[in-house]
Amino acid sequence: MAGAVMLARLLRTPALAETLAPHQWTGVLSAARAEQLLGALAYRLTGMDLPAAATTILNDARALALETRRGALWEAEVVRRALAPLDVPLLLLKGTAFAAAGLSAGQGRMIGDLDLLVPRDALEAVEAALLAAGWEWAKAERYDQLYYRRWMHELPPLIHRDRDRALDVHHTILPPTARITPDAAAIVAAAVPLGNGLSVPCAEDMIVHAALHLLADGDLSGGLRNLWDIDRLLHDHATPDFWRSLAARAVLHGATVPVARALRLAAALFGTAVPDARARRGDAWFVRRLLARDGWGRETRPMTRLAFYLRSHWIRMPAPLLARHLAVKTWVRVVPARS
Amino acid sequence: MRHALSLRVGPIGFRIGSEWSAPVAQLASLYAGYPAAEVAEATVRLAPPRPWRRMLRPTVALAGDHMLPDAAPLPLAHAVLAAEMAMNLQVALGHRRHLLLHASAVERDGRAIVMTGESGAGKSTLATLLGARGWRFMGDEFVLLDLATGWVHAFPRLVSLKNEAIAEVAAQVPGARFGPLLTGTPKGTIRHLVPDAAAVAAMDVPAMPALLLFPRYGAAAGVRGVGAGEAFVRLTQASTNYVALGEAGFDVLTRFARDVPRVAIDYPDTQAALAQVEALWRAL
């Protein structure tokens, strides 16, 4: 056993770490790095009696995570300053939100882009203010721009010209073309202020978002990390009342099926204490996809991966729209641009 | 992976996996004097970019824990170069325990000369030739600065000699052990040199930095002092992880640039450079 399977077992039961052989460590560390879970693993195994070389590597991962966190929170503050004059609600999403709100899910987490949610009617003003403050388009092609603006749940990705940091400005949390259309206005209305001009979604909405991000918004690349977010969020919030409010929130966003599945998968892989977490038909496929990584950090199970890749397009867009999108993308690639 | 090798160079443990036996056999022979890694920090994978490229015009794609998307594959005959490039990349992109400087270093009496400069400045050749003249060779690709003490840690990998340097080192270092001659690589002709046994045996012994040298090959002999500010800026450019280290990187680099004597030398040939270095060392 190696790779993602052992990684998941260690995250679930840290005490196992003291029984690992050196060659198993090398495999787990490679898989953890590939799944962007090395920092999370390092925090999970803090203070344990491990081989010196493993301890050193995990200490480095913790130091890197702290630096990443500092950079992510600074980026959020820079965006806040740029948008402060507009006086619109600014919600941090995903990694930056977990870190800013001091949640377990933020501990050791890799944070790449800054994800921000603003009310849809503020989008134009936000965009103008960001462009004026030094952000630029990462994708400037005309079709990409049109595509994002017409069909996606976010502006085309931005990047800051001095700091080289990416920013995704969302107006909702799934593409409007997806089969599930969460209630973005409700997320903004229930946001929890952090006291510094920024907010985060309420705990229930964070979990709904994480579940949709995992199961309704892609091919499960990085899925193990997304599932670990869900485990940690539930770890911080699970009370009998919370399960009820989470279920109600999932209904509101039309997300009961993915949320229920995410909870079952978290229970299956990480032992998350979820009530009534008995596996259902199809869950085994998701487990198979989530653990498709070997001890050399390589992707495995190409057919399973392909199936989930096809599924990701199927659930994000109706077929005619997908066909049209792919046709345009092909056309743009084949026919040289005319000036 | 079908074939694998574990080795440790200074503080960094590597695991190299390959779909072919030849690269692992070559590397195992060149790195025979190095210990195995207890737990490898960095993984390198040598595998074909497409399945049929294992047998048909065999080609090695560079892969590992950290990769650059545009790294071009190399022919199997250049597998040692591919492995070395991939190992460098893992360190450059992943290592955080030390400040990494793209530099070479030699040591004498517990004190180190750190040499940095653009590719072609001569830092590999100088470090190698000094290593054959009573200095301890500490590395020619990365110098690792300890974040707490500012001391130099050795990273004595295979020396990557390019073009004219190959013949020059072969002539001046009798008994040197070389890897296969690689012609037509993206960097010209390359031949790897195995560091001497003393350099490998002492690779866990750090040294206090005593001189920072900016050598430049191809001009009339000249020596000038370098200000701390200029040195700092040049070193930030020579470091692959300065930004990622944040405050810790800033602290160690400012101390290094301020406290270590700094000299730029121009030299017409390596004999002149070796004399300049010895003279500078005596004057310290």
Side-chain angles (χ1 to χ4, degrees):
Chain A
M1 183 190 338
V5 176
M6 183 56 91
L7 171 63
R9 289 182 50 147
L10 282 183
L11 287 169
R12 177 181 191 146
T13 317
L16 278 177
E18 294 185 352
T19 68
L20 244 55
H23 73 273
Q24 288 178 299
W25 272 112
T26 301
V28 164
L29 295 171
S30 257
R33 219 173 255 127
E35 293 291 340
Q36 301 204 325
L37 276 165
L38 188 59
L41 181 68
Y43 272 92
R44 193 79 172 130
L45 303 183
T46 301
M48 299 191 61
D49 183 23
L50 308 176
T55 301
T56 308
I57 294 164
L58 293 170
N59 286 345
D60 291 352
R62 263 195 302 276
L64 172 64
L66 271 180
E67 191 55 39
T68 302
R69 174 193 166 86
R70 204 164 69 117
L73 294 180
W74 170 245
E75 198 63 21
E77 169 60 16
V78 176
V79 169
R80 185 199 67 76
R81 290 180 194 184
L83 299 179
L86 302 182
D87 200 27
V88 299
L90 303 174
L91 278 70
L92 303 173
L93 299 177
K94 297 193 238 177
T96 313
F98 305 154
L103 299 171
S104 310
Q107 280 210 330
R109 194 185 191 275
M110 279 303 298
I111 306 173
D113 305 351
L114 172 60
D115 293 288
L116 191 69
L117 179 78
V118 300
R120 180 148 208 173
D121 56 18
L123 210 52
E124 234 172 282
V126 165
E127 182 179 2
L130 290 171
L131 291 174
W135 276 269
E136 296 170 342
W137 301 121
K139 293 184 176 187
E141 292 81 13
R142 196 168 141 266
Y143 177 70
D144 286 337
Q145 289 274 329
L146 282 171
Y147 172 77
Y148 270 94
R149 287 167 199 285
R150 176 127 187 229
W151 303 116
M152 292 303 282
H153 51 306
E154 57 190 318
L155 289 176
L158 290 157
I159 194 156
H160 195 275
R161 67 167 174 249
D162 299 328
R163 291 187 311 282
D164 203 26
R165 293 287 298 242
L167 169 63
D168 292 334
V169 181
H170 302 246
H171 54 82
T172 181
I173 56 176
L174 273 186
T177 55
R179 275 137 227 261
I180 298 169
T181 46
D183 185 343
I187 297 174
V188 173
V192 180
L194 294 172
N196 62 353
L198 295 164
S199 313
V200 296
C202 67
E204 293 86 347
D205 284 349
M206 272 189 190
I207 292 168
V208 170
H209 184 203
L212 290 173
H213 188 50
L214 174 68
L215 294 169
D217 191 21
D219 63 356
L220 273 83
S221 299
L224 208 54
R225 183 185 76 164
N226 297 330
L227 191 66
W228 181 246
D229 287 345
I230 291 168
D231 170 88
R232 293 291 88 186
L233 289 169
L234 291 169
H235 168 84
D236 287 354
H237 295 292
T239 60
D241 282 348
F242 184 79
W243 295 113
R244 268 195 298 281
S245 58
L246 175 59
R249 218 53 196 173
V251 170
L252 170 76
H253 291 300
T256 47
V257 173
V259 168
R261 170 157 276 156
L263 301 190
R264 294 198 304 272
L265 292 172
L269 277 175
F270 297 129
T272 319
V274 175
D276 188 26
R278 211 153 31 86
R280 299 274 178 87
R281 195 149 52 104
D283 287 359
W285 277 101
F286 287 84
V287 170
R288 201 180 143 72
R289 171 63 185 86
L290 289 168
L291 298 179
R293 176 87 58 186
D294 72 10
W296 283 89
R298 290 179 300 185
E299 297 181 345
T300 55
R301 300 172 183 163
M303 291 319 286
T304 305
R305 284 177 179 272
L306 177 65
F308 275 91
Y309 177 76
L310 296 174
R311 172 186 173 274
S312 75
H313 283 83
W314 175 247
I315 57 177
R316 277 162 71 99
M317 272 183 224
L321 182 60
L322 176 61
R324 187 179 125 180
H325 170 58
L326 293 178
V328 175
K329 289 294 271 190
T330 311
W331 178 258
V332 168
R333 194 173 313 154
V334 172
V335 180
R338 280 159 299 183
S339 53
Chain B
M1 310 279 321
R2 293 166 198 236
H3 307 275
L5 175 68
S6 158
L7 65 100
R8 182 171 65 78
V9 184
I12 304 181
F14 291 95
R15 171 178 60 156
I16 299 156
S18 168
E19 291 295 318
W20 302 270
S21 62
V24 163
Q26 279 177 330
L27 290 165
S29 144
L30 293 168
Y31 280 107
Y34 292 70
E38 182 195 13
V39 174
E41 167 182 339
T43 288
V44 163
R45 304 191 307 258
L46 305 176
R50 297 275 175 271
W52 58 90
R53 283 273 173 263
R54 198 171 88 78
M55 306 294 288
L56 189 74
R57 271 208 297 127
T59 305
V60 190
L62 307 186
D65 291 333
H66 309 275
M67 288 323 296
L68 293 178
D70 51 357
L74 293 169
L76 182 59
H78 295 169
V80 173
L81 176 62
E84 290 288 305
M85 286 167 68
M87 286 164 79
N88 284 338
L89 212 51
Q90 301 315 305
V91 175
L93 298 177
H95 191 77
R96 297 280 185 278
R97 210 176 325 141
H98 303 86
L99 182 83
L100 293 168
L101 294 176
H102 184 53
S104 67
V106 292
E107 174 261 357
R108 191 190 264 173
D109 304 329
R111 303 196 308 154
I113 303 180
V114 174
M115 294 176 270
T116 185
E118 311 258 305
S119 181
K123 50 190 188 308
S124 292
T125 315
L126 282 180
T128 307
L129 294 180
L130 287 165
R133 282 168 170 72
W135 295 77
R136 169 172 55 121
F137 173 80
M138 295 184 81
D140 88 313
E141 180 70 31
F142 289 118
V143 161
L144 283 54
L145 294 190
D146 189 294
L147 294 178
T149 65
W151 280 39
V152 173
H153 285 255
F155 188 57
R157 295 265 308 288
L158 301 185
V159 182
S160 165
L161 296 170
K162 296 180 195 81
N163 305 318
E164 307 89 71
I166 299 170
E168 181 162 15
V169 169
Q172 295 195 37
V173 186
R177 274 187 63 214
F178 288 100
L181 187 73
L182 310 175
T183 54
T185 80
K187 296 172 180 176
T189 300
I190 286 189
R191 193 158 196 194
H192 291 99
L193 167 75
V194 181
D196 62 56
V200 178
M203 71 183 181
D204 294 331
V205 183
M208 196 181 84
L211 179 62
L212 172 59
L213 210 57
F214 295 96
R216 197 175 61 163
Y217 168 71
V223 176
R224 72 172 171 96
V226 174
E230 181 189 338
F232 177 80
V233 172
R234 289 177 72 166
L235 290 172
T236 59
Q237 289 162 356
S239 174
T240 59
N241 66 354
Y242 167 68
V243 172
L245 286 172
E247 195 175 354
F250 177 78
D251 283 346
V252 71
L253 200 62
T254 42
R255 272 186 287 142
F256 188 79
R258 186 188 60 217
D259 299 344
V260 179
R262 305 157 300 268
V263 181
I265 57 169
D266 289 343
Y267 63 94
D269 58 71
T270 45
Q271 292 310 313
L274 294 171
Q276 283 172 318
V277 172
E278 292 287 355
L280 286 168
W281 189 254
R282 280 193 301 275
L284 277 183

